[in-house]
Amino acid sequence: MIKSIETILADVPTIRPHKLSVTTMSTQTLVLVRVRCEDGVEGWGEATTIGGLNYGEESPESIKTNIDTHIAPLLVGMEASQVAKAMARLRKAIQGNRFAKCAIETALLDAQARRLGIPLSELLGGRVRDQLPVAWTLASGDTAKDIAEAEKMLELRRHRIFKLKIGARAVADDVSHVLAIKRALGDAVSIRVDVNQAWNELQAIEAISALEAGGVDLIEQPVPAHHKAAMARLAQRFSVPLMADEALQGPLSAYDYATSAAADVFAVKITQSGGLVQAGQVATVAQLAGVALYGGTMLEGGVGTAASAHLFATFADLSFGTELFGPLLLTEEVLQEPLVYKDFMLQVPAGHGLGVAIDTDKLGRLRRH
């Protein structure tokens, strides 16, 4: 039985300012959910989002309030091992709240996998890989700093895929910034851009033409998510792959985008999808429609990153890699043993459940009271 559900907010500074088109982050608020079961098993989940309400309709504070006030009372007392039944009750009674639902489902699945003595990936269909390529986001906004940062990552053998956050400046300035970095780093690395919906269609045509000619490998969400027809026209016009991100909010939106040929690649995010199971359905829709896959992040800490890694390890296709670098952007670690990044890859945890353990002393110091 589910004995209790606790929601914890922890404010962790980032190693440097992280600039998006919608906000600049200097602190990330981790939203952690702890489910305690009557048999003594615990499970952990994460519902971390980006930039408060700048990015989406859920904030750390709203997630905590809704879990504590509305979600936990629905689930406490239910059979903890019947995860699908618990989530069905939750989805019937609670509208929206995808991030909160993801954290709850992750915690229940973590507990059940621990109960069974298996890695979480085995509850999701079974892993086909034990390590995942990881992109690093260059988001200082300063060309020279970004080049130096990328060169350091290459030297450390940590990343050779780089995604540039653009969209906050004039289109010509952003294009010049990206192409200068591409020229400096050369063809040994993959350079991609994330526009976070900042352009209109005419701006996107101008920018993508230049970026494609300059050797950029991927363009993420250049126009607003609701401009699906514009995304489709851009995807058909250019050979450089276009990726949907903010447009994907679960399997139904994935199906809509896939049947409209509105993207070449899907960024799968467990929280945006409403949970691990529905994120897996997003991937299935993509694969059936011939859309390539990329493992996305909401800049989660170790718990959410581990959960995402377990799911992405089950994908038959992961041709554009992942961006599961969230813990590396934070100055503090909440896990007893950090996730392992080496040789440009994240090692998928092999232990029971998520395969990670929370450092409760450190979390106690970081948590918001």
Side-chain angles (χ1 to χ4, degrees), residues 12 41 83 114 126 132 134 147 173 179 190 276 295 317 328:
V12 184
V41 176
V83 181
R114 290 177 191 277
L132 306 168
V134 180
I147 291 168
D173 293 341
L179 296 184
S190 173
L276 289 159
D317 164 72
L328 300 173

Side-chain angles (χ1 to χ4, degrees), residues 3 9 34 40 44 85 88 103 117 126 139 141 181 196 221 231 234 248 254 281 283 299 313 315 325 333 338 344 351:
K3 184 178 176 183
L9 302 184
R34 180 187 209 170
W44 287 84
K85 194 175 284 186
I181 292 171
N196 285 125
Q221 202 68 57
M231 277 287 285
L234 293 168
L248 302 175
Q281 291 171 345
L299 302 179
F315 292 174
F325 68 90
E333 178 60 75
F344 309 110

